[in-house]
């Protein structure tokens, strides 16, 4: 079917379209409770260097399109890469995928390779997020996926996707016995100011030498209101089969973020969130993880390409899952400042 669709679809233009874009972000972060550690918090994978200036990410992307095919290649480096690609053989490739339009109206596409994750509303590119740092649920869900993705947009307001991937944020399979993971995404845009998105993941996760089935759902609503306000309400829920017994462990996280544009150069945002992982399926901790979080952002935009951001963030847990000068603590407070430029 795919071969037939590709053969009957011909573009009017025979011109090769080529584009280059880039992104770079520097940062400084300070955890006031642990001034002597190299990293701040184990379950955070961005801006996680303590009391030092560093590069979170520098990225260069190239896109090529010709007739009914296209390709994207992006290379990256920085502390984000060190923390999120530590177990991968291919570390410095952010994107590397090929795409094919399956019909003349471009309503159907198929893509294959290393792709950005279809899960969540926050990306590795901080300037496109409402807050400087990612939410706990965003930090502990995939940044990228490797596999095959089919996209279908039958109407202007609806789009559907299905995926077969190597697993939960994997380039290389850690266990060759695992089957391809399944993913799906449904997006509904009732207007240009709002979007409802539901993403699902089902796959085997490698636990030591064994495999455990994981079920995961990400639901969020993104909407702009009263011109200067934009809000996102999200909810993650996951299940994973226990190592022992027939039962399942679960984790979940609600989050709500609101951004206010003071004027064309200044923005502010506030976030409230909760993350619960009692059996430490996703977040490694010696105790039950039940943590509330709140953050406050102020952003300055000198021009349309550059953004300077500051954020103060507080976590509070029912258990002593944090450290304060090498002693167990129930809370953690840190600040982060970043400067980004994209072209």
């Amino acid at each position: 079917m795919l071969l037939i669709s590709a053969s009957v679809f011909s573009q009017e233009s025979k011109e090769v379209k080529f584009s280059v874009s880039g992104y770079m972000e520097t940062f400084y972060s300070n955890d006031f409770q642990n001034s002597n550690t190299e990293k701040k918090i184990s379950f955070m994978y961005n801006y996680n260097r303590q009391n030092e200036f560093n590069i979170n990410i520098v990225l260069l992307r190239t896109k090529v399109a010709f007739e009914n095919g296209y390709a994207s290649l992006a290379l990256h480096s920085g502390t984000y890469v060190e923390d999120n690609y530590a177990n991968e053989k291919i570390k410095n490739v952010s994107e590397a995928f090929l795409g094919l339009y399956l019909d003349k109206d471009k309503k159907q596409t198929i893509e294959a390779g290393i792709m950005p994750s279809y899960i969540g509303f926050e990306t590795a590119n901080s300037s496109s997020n409402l807050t400087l740092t990612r939410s706990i649920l965003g930090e502990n869900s995939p940044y990228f996926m490797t596999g095959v993705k089919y996209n279908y947009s039958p109407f202007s307001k609806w789009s559907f996707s299905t995926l077969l991937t190597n697993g939960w944020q994997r380039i290389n399979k850690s266990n060759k016995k695992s089957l391809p993971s399944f993913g799906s995404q449904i997006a509904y845009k009732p207007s240009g100011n709002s979007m409802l998105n539901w993403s699902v993941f089902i796959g085997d996760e490698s636990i030591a030498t064994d495999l455990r089935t994981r079920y995961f759902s990400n639901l969020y609503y993104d909407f702009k209101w009263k011109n200067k306000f934009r809000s996102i309400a999200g909810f993650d829920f996951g299940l994973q089969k226990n190592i022992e017994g027939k039962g399942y462990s679960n984790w979940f996280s609600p989050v709500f973020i609101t951004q206010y544009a003071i004027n064309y150069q200044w923005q502010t945002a506030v976030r409230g969130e909760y993350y619960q992982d009692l059996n430490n399926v996703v977040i490694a901790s010696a105790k039950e993880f039940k943590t509330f979080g709140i953050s406050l952002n102020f952003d300055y935009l000198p021009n349309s390409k550059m953004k300077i951001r500051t954020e103060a963030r507080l976590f509070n847990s029912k258990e002593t899952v944090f450290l304060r000068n090498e002693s167990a603590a129930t809370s953690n407070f840190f600040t982060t400042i970043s400067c980004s430029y994209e072209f």
Side-chain angles (χ1 to χ4, degrees):
M1 183 189 70
L2 298 180
L3 292 174
I4 294 173
S5 299
S7 64
V8 300
F9 173 35
S10 62
Q11 295 265 19
E12 293 181 3
S13 174
K14 298 294 184 179
E15 187 178 317
V16 176
K17 297 180 180 180
F18 181 83
S19 65
V20 177
S21 60
Y23 180 78
M24 180 177 176
E25 184 179 32
T26 63
F27 76 97
Y28 174 83
S29 191
N30 198 331
D31 180 346
F32 296 95
Q33 299 175 190
N34 300 285
S35 57
N36 297 322
T37 59
E38 179 186 0
K39 297 184 179 181
K40 298 196 309 291
I41 303 174
S42 61
F43 57 86
M44 303 295 289
Y45 304 98
N46 273 287
Y47 316 101
N48 204 22
R49 298 304 185 271
Q50 161 63 10
N51 191 26
E52 70 176 33
F53 294 95
N54 217 316
I55 302 294
N56 183 53
I57 184 172
V58 55
L59 181 143
L60 185 64
R61 177 184 289 110
T62 301
K63 291 185 176 181
V64 181
F66 178 71
E67 295 189 347
N68 57 335
Y70 57 92
S72 179
L73 173 64
L75 305 178
H76 62 176
S77 186
T79 58
Y80 157 79
V81 179
E82 293 177 7
D83 291 348
N84 287 278
Y85 292 76
N87 297 322
E88 301 294 345
K89 296 178 181 178
I90 302 174
K91 301 181 186 297
N92 294 110
V93 177
S94 175
E95 295 177 9
F97 65 89
L98 305 173
L100 179 68
Y101 294 109
L102 303 180
D103 63 292
K104 64 181 180 180
D105 296 322
K106 297 184 178 181
K107 292 185 176 182
Q108 300 180 75
T109 62
I110 188 166
E111 299 172 332
I114 304 171
M115 299 170 285
S117 174
Y118 65 98
I119 295 174
F121 53 85
E122 294 170 310
T123 71
N125 182 340
S126 171
S127 67
S128 64
N129 300 333
L130 297 191
T131 56
L132 167 55
T133 61
R134 295 224 313 183
S135 307
I136 305 177
L137 62 79
E139 285 287 77
N140 292 277
S141 58
Y143 277 102
F144 56 89
M145 293 285 191
T146 304
V148 179
K149 183 181 182 183
Y150 169 74
N151 306 295
Y152 179 44
S153 300
F155 314 106
S156 60
K157 295 182 179 180
W158 288 92
S159 62
F160 305 88
S161 300
T162 58
L163 301 93
L164 289 177
T165 68
N166 286 344
W168 181 271
Q169 188 164 289
R170 304 282 187 186
I171 295 178
N172 310 106
K173 269 190 178 184
S174 58
N175 191 323
K176 303 302 180 184
K177 295 180 180 179
S178 63
L179 297 173
S181 299
F182 170 80
S184 67
Q185 182 180 25
I186 301 174
Y188 172 58
K189 297 181 179 180
S191 69
N193 293 326
S194 62
M195 182 178 70
L196 179 66
N197 186 96
W198 182 38
S199 299
V200 171
F201 171 91
I202 302 173
D204 292 330
E205 274 302 291
S206 180
I207 309 297
T209 58
D210 205 353
L211 294 172
R212 289 290 177 260
T213 305
R214 174 175 293 183
Y215 303 91
F216 181 79
S217 168
N218 165 258
L219 180 69
Y220 69 87
Y221 182 52
D222 185 340
F223 56 103
K224 296 179 181 178
W225 50 289
K226 292 187 177 180
N227 296 325
K228 293 188 175 184
F229 286 92
R230 180 185 171 191
S231 298
I232 296 179
F235 185 76
D236 279 8
F237 181 79
L239 286 170
Q240 184 166 296
K241 190 174 181 181
N242 293 330
I243 298 176
E244 298 180 0
K246 297 182 179 180
Y248 286 80
S249 296
N250 70 76
W251 69 96
F252 65 89
S253 176
V255 62
F256 184 79
I257 308 171
T258 292
Q259 183 186 71
Y260 173 66
I262 302 170
N263 54 44
Y264 71 96
Q265 282 191 314
W266 288 94
Q267 298 172 339
T268 185
V270 63
R271 167 177 50 198
E273 60 185 329
Y274 175 73
Y275 201 98
Q276 179 171 302
D277 184 6
L278 301 182
N279 296 309
N280 310 124
V281 178
V282 177
I283 296 182
S285 175
K287 298 182 179 181
E288 293 181 343
F289 192 85
K290 297 178 288 184
T291 299
F292 290 91
I294 188 169
S295 67
L296 178 64
N297 256 76
F298 283 100
D299 305 334
Y300 172 60
L301 288 67
N303 54 59
S304 61
K305 302 295 184 182
M306 181 175 287
K307 185 176 288 189
I308 300 171
R309 317 189 77 177
T310 60
E311 181 184 275
R313 193 168 185 181
L314 173 68
F315 291 133
N316 187 70
S317 177
K318 293 185 178 181
E319 302 290 341
T320 54
V321 296
F322 301 104
L323 290 176
R324 182 179 287 112
N325 295 324
E326 300 182 359
S327 298
T330 59
S331 63
N332 184 266
F333 176 74
F334 60 92
T335 58
T336 307
I337 182 170
S338 77
C339 181
S340 64
Y341 186 88
E342 60 182 337
F343 62 90

